[in-house]
Amino acid sequence: MQRILQEKNEILVACRAALDAVFDTIELDRAAKRLEEQALGIAERVRKLVEENMRVQMNQEEYHQEYNALAEDYEKASEKRRRLAEQKQDKADRRRKIEIFLRMLEQQDECLEFDPYTFVELVDKVDVGKDKKLVFYSRGGMNY
């Protein structure tokens, strides 16, 4: 912890500089917008197909094949949109965790005693090497 506190300003500057780049969701938003437009286009084609089937005597086997193909395309687009939303949420969750870590680090001036709550918030896992050396992995992704 003392090492982190000694390098606090450098860590804060580096982390804040990287946050926007690493957790940028512009491309995910663009892809989601394209998929939304694609899904709306498919829905419009389904509407027109149903209307045509009501107006004109269509071969019902061909109608059902086209309808099912459009429904499958719509489901694929919806599934892709769902996965993009999950990716965006994952990025937001990871960013929030790092921001919590940064705020805690910013407020910490010195480490006088062991605080189990701070430890749990800061440390994700600890590896014990064969030489019994401990490596601490922070929730922010750094190791010490």
Side-chain angles (χ1 to χ4, degrees):
M1 188 66 179
Q2 284 303 107
R3 181 175 165 203
I4 292 174
L5 291 174
Q6 290 169 353
E7 299 173 7
K8 178 170 79 170
N9 290 335
E10 292 84 9
I11 293 171
L12 289 170
V13 168
C15 288
R16 288 202 171 103
L19 273 180
D20 288 336
V22 172
F23 296 111
D24 179 47
T25 60
I26 291 174
E27 285 305 315
L28 291 175
D29 292 337
R30 286 180 184 152
K33 180 73 171 161
R34 284 191 301 270
L35 286 168
E36 183 178 341
E37 290 169 358
Q38 180 183 359
L40 289 172
I42 293 169
E44 179 62 20
R45 288 173 33 211
V46 167
R47 187 188 63 75
K48 287 180 180 179
L49 179 66
V50 170
E51 283 180 1
E52 182 181 353
N53 188 46
M54 290 177 4
R55 281 193 324 266
V56 178
Q57 182 67 28
M58 293 179 72
N59 178 321
Q60 290 303 294
E61 186 175 320
E62 290 175 7
Y63 166 77
H64 286 291
Q65 283 179 342
E66 189 172 349
Y67 182 90
N68 290 338
L70 288 170
E72 186 178 321
D73 289 346
Y74 185 86
E75 285 301 316
K76 286 179 184 176
S78 294
E79 177 61 22
K80 287 179 184 177
R81 283 175 41 203
R82 186 191 62 75
R83 284 195 308 264
L84 288 175
E86 285 176 357
Q87 289 175 11
K88 187 174 178 178
Q89 185 62 50
D90 179 58
K91 280 189 171 197
D93 291 345
R94 288 186 293 149
R95 180 184 185 122
R96 184 181 47 75
K97 288 177 183 177
I98 291 174
E99 287 173 343
I100 289 169
F101 170 78
L102 293 176
R103 280 193 299 277
M104 288 177 64
L105 181 59
E106 199 170 41
Q107 294 168 2
Q108 195 77 333
D109 289 327
E110 58 183 46
C111 184
L112 299 176
E113 61 185 43
F114 178 76
D115 179 6
Y117 298 108
T118 301
F119 182 83
V120 169
E121 284 297 319
L122 293 176
V123 177
D124 186 41
K125 70 177 183 172
V126 179
D127 285 339
V128 180
K130 289 182 180 180
D131 60 357
K132 299 191 184 193
K133 181 179 177 182
L134 300 176
V135 179
F136 294 85
Y137 293 87
S138 73
R139 294 191 184 276
M142 297 175 277
N143 60 341
Y144 300 94

